[in-house]
Amino acid sequence: MIDDGPRLLTIGQLSRRTGLSVRTIRYWSDVGALPPVGRSSGGYRLYDAQSLARLELIRTLRELGLGLDDVRSVVDGESDIASVAAAHVAALDAQIRSLRLNRAVLSTVAKRNSSAEEMALMNKLARLSAAERKHIIDDFMEQTFGGLDAADPDIRTRMRVMVPDLPDDPTAEQVDAWVELAELMQDPDFRAHMRSMIEFNAADRGPDVPPGSSLWFMSRLVQLAGEARERGVEPESPEAEEVLRGLLGAGADLAAVLERMEAAANHDVARFRDLVSLVRGLETLPRHNEEFAWVVAALRARTAG
């Protein structure tokens, strides 16, 4: 019999009322989260109705993942639930971001069948700080545009705005794309290729060429080549010469244009654009491979030999 009356409960009775194990309740009592209100003549810990309500609160907080220190702080009235919950949300957000990074890295390792060294590099790239990621982007931009003041400024501006940092709360797909993008931006061969494209652009621009002309040219190429393909114009046909003249003007150096077109049609350049869209959370832009291939074929037909 319980000495202090029927309203007081032993740990066993609390267990039967709540469904919690005796061991769990005893542990929470031992660490001070659920102090007994008294003891029976036999030395058993006793609890009242408020203890039962406190126990339900402890269970709820523990199921939500709060540590015992925070639980004690709440049930003792030292902290309000809202502030503790807000702090726990921040901790969970950090944990979720870490888990997403882990998942993205492991997913990429599995997809690429990567070595241990490659996995370590990907893990390092995924966990770079915002300042470190910005350094990679800034260094890439300097290697691409540095000293080429004659290049179309609209290309420089568009590239700088377009190349993204990793979002604060990225998806696994965005992390995966960022890792690949960071690798690509640091690849010496890709940097050299991008540099050569901008050097071509700078060499082609006279002092009177307005900003944005290069972007206009690419839009015009897609339009004219697309219309030619829809009409069934073959790249080797005489009619294709009219299309090239409408795009390039009379007297253009077709061999030089071909060299630049082949550089722009590089697979890594297209992949770079795709990765940028993926990191930004956007649909990848059309590559217009057919239109570029048509123009390249038309130029080759007139420069062969």
Side-chain angles (χ1 to χ4, degrees):
M1 177 180 288
I2 300 173
D3 297 338
D4 296 294
R7 289 184 296 176
L8 297 181
L9 306 171
T10 63
I11 286 180
Q13 290 169 322
L14 284 177
S15 174
R16 287 190 292 275
R17 288 202 181 192
T18 62
L20 291 165
S21 70
V22 169
R23 182 178 180 181
T24 296
I25 298 173
R26 181 178 292 116
Y27 174 68
W28 288 349
S29 185
D30 288 342
V31 298
L34 185 69
V37 297
R39 291 201 176 251
S40 69
S41 58
Y44 293 103
R45 286 175 276 199
L46 301 175
Y47 304 88
D48 58 12
Q50 288 186 339
S51 301
L52 184 60
R54 183 181 178 110
L55 181 58
E56 292 291 358
L57 176 57
I58 293 170
R59 172 160 62 180
T60 299
L61 294 173
R62 291 293 286 159
E63 287 176 347
L64 290 171
L66 270 69
L68 281 173
D69 287 341
D70 284 333
V71 168
R72 281 196 301 268
S73 179
V74 170
V75 296
D76 289 340
E78 297 172 1
S79 302
D80 64 275
I81 293 179
S83 61
V84 172
H88 200 61
V89 166
L92 285 174
D93 285 343
Q95 185 178 9
I96 289 169
R97 285 194 293 271
S98 180
L99 289 172
R100 282 177 173 168
L101 289 174
N102 291 346
R103 183 188 184 281
V105 171
L106 292 172
S107 175
T108 303
V109 167
K111 184 168 57 180
R112 297 187 188 181
N113 193 24
S114 302
S115 66
E117 292 78 9
E118 291 170 331
M119 180 177 66
L121 175 60
M122 282 186 280
N123 187 49
K124 179 181 178 181
L125 289 174
R127 297 181 188 281
L128 291 175
S129 68
E132 289 169 328
R133 294 194 300 268
K134 182 177 183 299
H135 175 74
I136 289 177
I137 296 171
D138 290 345
D139 189 51
F140 170 73
M141 291 294 297
E142 176 60 27
Q143 291 292 321
T144 302
F145 289 95
L148 298 177
D149 296 334
D152 192 330
D154 278 13
I155 291 182
R156 183 194 302 267
T157 300
R158 183 172 180 178
M159 179 85 75
R160 191 64 187 84
V161 172
M162 181 178 71
V163 178
D165 191 4
L166 192 63
D168 291 336
D169 190 20
T171 64
E173 291 73 20
Q174 286 174 308
V175 175
D176 187 19
W178 162 256
V179 167
E180 186 177 346
L181 181 62
E183 289 177 318
L184 192 57
M185 286 191 291
Q186 296 177 96
D187 181 80
D189 291 337
F190 179 69
R191 286 186 171 196
H193 185 81
M194 292 293 288
R195 176 75 179 188
S196 68
M197 289 177 57
I198 302 304
E199 287 174 344
F200 285 151
N201 179 267
D204 289 341
R205 293 187 76 249
D208 298 328
V209 176
S213 298
S214 304
L215 301 176
W216 176 88
F217 172 80
M218 300 307 289
S219 299
R220 181 75 170 155
L221 180 152
V222 170
Q223 176 192 352
L224 293 181
E227 292 172 351
R229 292 183 69 253
E230 288 178 1
R231 297 197 306 271
V233 177
E234 295 296 328
E236 299 81 8
S237 67
E239 190 177 352
E241 293 187 21
E242 294 298 321
V243 177
L244 291 179
R245 190 174 296 111
L247 176 64
L248 305 173
D253 185 343
L254 299 186
V257 174
L258 176 60
E259 184 180 10
R260 288 151 174 73
M261 287 294 301
E262 289 176 331
N266 179 274
H267 169 77
D268 284 343
V269 175
R271 183 57 180 163
F272 175 81
R273 290 194 292 264
D274 289 348
L275 291 170
V276 165
S277 295
L278 290 171
V279 176
R280 292 170 65 91
L282 305 173
E283 293 291 331
T284 55
L285 298 174
R287 290 191 176 188
H288 300 296
N289 290 336
E290 294 82 2
E291 291 83 357
F292 274 87
W294 189 94
V295 173
V296 168
L299 291 169
R300 285 175 177 167
R302 286 153 185 83
T303 57

